[in-house]
Every structure is written in C-alpha cells, then in structure tokens.
Amino acid sequence: MPELKVNGLRTNYQLLPGAVGPDPWRANETVVFIHGMGTDSLASFYLTLAPPVAAAGIDVISYDLRGHGRSERPVSGYALADFVADLDELLCALTVTHPVHLVGNSFGGTIAYAYAAAHPHRVRSVVAIESEPPTEVWAAKMAGILAATTRMLGVEENYEWIEATFGAHHRRLARLAAARFTATTMADEVATGPMMTAREVAAITCPVLSILGRHGYQADDLGAVTASLPGGEAFVFDDQGHSVLVERHRAVRGLLVEWVRRHGGG
Amino acid sequence: MSDTTTAPDSVFDEVVDLIGALVGDDLALLGVEVRRDTAFHEDLGLESVDLVTLGGLLADRYGPRVNLAEHLAEFELDDVIGLTVGRIADYVAAALGER
C-alpha cells in the first residue's frame, strides 16, 4: 500500500495513471480526489469515479486526509490550513508540476477552494460536490452540523435507531465516527479556519463546477456559491440530499470527464 | 454482479492469504475463520479503504487484468457493503479466466 510522509504524517494514497488513448487533449491532465470528513476515506472516490476517469485518459491521485482512512491520526492539527498544507506537500512529494483539477466531496471541496485560493498557479479547475468555500457562513454551518452529530453520537439509543433506519453498516460507521471524534480534536478544530472573506473567494478565478443536491447542505440557497465565484457553474441534482457522490456517482463521472475535457490545459 | 465463475479453492485460499496480509496478523491467530460467505466489512471489521488496498495486493499478485476497483465501480453501494470474500475470489477467478 503506497504511503508517503506528508508534513510528518504517514499518508495513504493511490495513483491511477490515465489510460493511453488516441485523444491528445487528455495528455497531462490530473485529477486529485479529496474525500469528506468523519468516516470518509479515499475509497468513496476510488471505488466510484477513479477507474472510469482513468479509463478516460486522465491521471488520478486519491489520498486519505490526515485522521482518515489509513493515514496517520494525530490527536490534534485539524484546522483547514493543516489540510491545505498537506495537499500542497503531497503534490510536491509526487512531483506533480502541472496544474491539477481538484475534485472534492463535502469538506474535501472546502479544502479544494482554500487550496485554489492559496495556490492559484497549481490549480486548473475545482469541482466541488456539496461543498462551500471556507467562509464564516460555512464555519457556522459546519460547527452546527458537527455539534449536532457529536451530540447524537453520544446517546446510546441513537445507534439502535441508526441501525433500524439505515442498516448495520451505518451503525458501524457511526461508532467509528464517535471513536474518532472522541480520540481527536477534529470536530472542534475543522471549522476554525482561517476563513476566507467574500473578496478572497471572488479572487478564485479558475473554472469551478459546483455539484449540488437540491435538498443537500446548500438547499437554503443553491445559487450562493456560484454567484460568489467569477468562474462558477452549478449543476443541481433534483430529489437528492447531501450524498451526491454515493448516490449519483455514475452521473457525476460523466459530468467530470466532460468538465476536464472542456477545461484541460490543451 | 455479472460474474458467474465460482472460484476454485486455490484462488479462494490465495485471496484469504492476501486478506491476512491486509489485516496484519494471521487470521487464524485472531480466531477468524474466513469462509466464502464471510463479509468483508461486517465480519472482518474492515473498511472500504481496505478494499482499495486489497485491490492493490490483488494487482501485485495477478497483474493488471485483476482490477477490483474497476469492477466495484459498477456496483451499487449496498453491494459493496455486503461484499463477501467468496465474491471477491469469484471475481478474481473470472478475471483470470478471461484470456
């Protein structure tokens, strides 16, 4: 299993080289998948989008964020800036020198926005699935979700409800999330920033595709993120909550391949 | 799931050995008997990310024609969650028999 030291932490990653095909536009395009927070890992991309995207000729990098999957799990060090620094060091360690397409799910998309703002020359485009840039609005929403989740996971009877409603697998995931939130400062730290101002968000000039569920975390204002970004486009799935990646991965893969084709470096 | 090949014991045993390498201990020492209907997540207590690692171990062992991630990318989530060791072995056998 491939591992690197990134900012001193053992980091699990997977590379999938793009298939060699006849289409010259595909040369030298790299997608970096950034998963979400809690019990998520590189698997949610690797077992859905990564193989077909690589088959379309695009190089794929997936990795486990610090504290997730099989990467190292420090007790603290979970501010957004830590995740952004990790991504930068990972790309350096893998000697990726051309601009990449960052594809983030949920919190992973927030990392992508922050990285694109901090390192504009290294980012060709951002595809953010059910994600927002790290503004104070996002921080307040995230802190609320994390506080509610932590409270919910602290009540034993809720695990019975989770199993009855979603199945045994989700009960195991909830146990895992509870253990990780208890063992680390992740839930307290993630929404601490530093946050971006509206002006800093507007300074992200690369193309951005915001993929949303109509009933997901941005249901209150589906147009807010794209309106704040000069290069922003949105795609909204009807009848869909936050789990866009899991439940709509086939449609997302089509959107993504077409997006990279449109916004490749040529 | 489209593959209908039932893996011979030799392939099944090799898959179990690789899962042992993944778990990091001899499965027998842990008191776990891995059967065809042993579920990867529920019975072995492994996570989906371990399935990715197993895919890498399978590719190292058998070459790139055994591509577990590509195979699973066509699955629905519930099928991935309920994946058994036997079905992984069946896929490996089918992939090896394809050419």
Side-chain angles (χ1 to χ4, degrees):
Chain A
M1 52 198 91
E3 285 181 352
L4 276 172
K5 281 276 186 188
V6 170
N7 286 326
L9 298 176
R10 190 169 31 77
T11 298
N12 181 39
Y13 71 97
Q14 290 283 339
L15 304 180
L16 216 47
V20 177
D23 283 356
W25 69 269
R26 286 169 175 157
N28 235 18
E29 298 301 334
T30 300
V31 158
V32 182
F33 286 127
I34 314 170
H35 66 75
M37 207 193 29
T39 55
D40 209 357
S41 73
L42 62 79
S44 56
F45 276 115
Y46 201 85
L47 299 179
T48 55
L49 299 190
V53 168
I58 302 160
D59 291 337
V60 175
I61 299 171
S62 321
Y63 70 109
D64 283 335
L65 297 173
R66 56 171 62 207
H68 293 75
R70 292 300 175 227
S71 285
E72 203 167 327
R73 204 178 316 283
V75 172
S76 63
Y78 293 99
L80 184 62
D82 295 314
F83 292 98
V84 172
D86 289 348
L87 174 55
D88 197 47
E89 189 162 319
L90 178 74
L91 292 178
C92 289
L94 294 174
T95 61
V96 178
T97 53
H98 55 278
V100 298
H101 303 270
L102 297 178
V103 180
N105 183 40
S106 195
F107 176 60
T110 304
I111 298 171
Y113 282 124
Y115 188 86
H119 305 279
H121 60 289
R122 306 207 65 171
V123 180
R124 183 95 72 207
S125 78
V126 169
V127 177
I129 305 167
E130 276 285 306
S131 306
E132 295 178 48
T135 61
E136 293 294 343
V137 172
W138 169 80
K141 189 187 290 189
M142 193 71 174
I145 292 169
L146 286 169
T149 305
T150 307
R151 267 199 310 277
M152 192 266 286
L153 294 176
V155 179
E156 194 56 33
E157 297 82 58
N158 286 337
Y159 293 92
E160 303 295 330
W161 176 83
I162 289 169
E163 179 162 357
T165 311
F166 302 108
H169 181 68
H170 286 271
R171 181 188 177 124
R172 281 196 305 280
L173 289 181
R175 288 273 184 218
L176 202 57
R180 288 181 181 173
F181 283 172
T182 307
T184 71
T185 60
M186 194 185 305
D188 296 327
E189 270 192 90
V190 154
T192 60
M195 295 303 125
M196 291 167 64
T197 63
R199 181 181 296 226
E200 288 168 333
V201 172
I204 299 174
T205 53
C206 69
V208 174
L209 177 61
S210 172
I211 301 177
L212 303 171
R214 187 167 295 284
H215 309 293
Y217 284 175
Q218 288 162 67
D220 54 336
D221 190 351
L222 291 168
V225 168
T226 37
S228 68
L229 292 159
E233 294 177 31
F235 185 94
V236 179
F237 285 102
D238 291 327
D239 300 322
Q240 179 61 54
H242 183 62
S243 301
V244 170
L245 176 60
V246 168
E247 292 169 19
R248 301 295 183 103
H249 65 87
R250 288 188 180 82
V252 171
R253 104 176 36 153
L255 289 172
L256 178 56
V257 170
E258 178 56 29
W259 177 263
V260 174
R261 179 191 293 268
R262 263 172 64 202
H263 296 286
Chain B
M1 188 126 183
S2 57
D3 47 294
T4 52
T5 305
T6 298
D9 289 344
S10 57
V11 172
F12 178 78
D13 290 345
E14 286 190 333
V15 169
V16 172
D17 284 346
L18 292 177
I19 290 174
L22 190 68
V23 173
D25 280 297
D26 188 338
L27 287 165
L29 280 179
L30 293 173
V32 178
E33 185 201 354
V34 181
R35 305 183 315 186
R36 285 179 186 270
D37 63 355
T38 299
F40 188 84
H41 290 92
E42 184 167 5
D43 295 332
L44 296 176
L46 294 169
E47 295 177 50
S48 297
V49 67
D50 301 312
L51 214 40
V52 175
T53 306
L54 177 63
L57 295 175
L58 289 170
D60 289 346
R61 168 68 183 82
Y62 296 107
R65 65 185 157 156
V66 176
N67 189 333
L68 185 65
E70 186 179 70
H71 181 62
L72 296 179
E74 299 307 322
F75 278 40
E76 296 304 326
L77 179 66
D78 284 348
D79 294 328
V80 176
I81 290 170
L83 199 63
T84 61
V85 176
R87 292 188 108 175
I88 297 172
D90 292 347
Y91 160 68
V92 172
L96 292 174
E98 274 172 10
R99 50 194 87 168

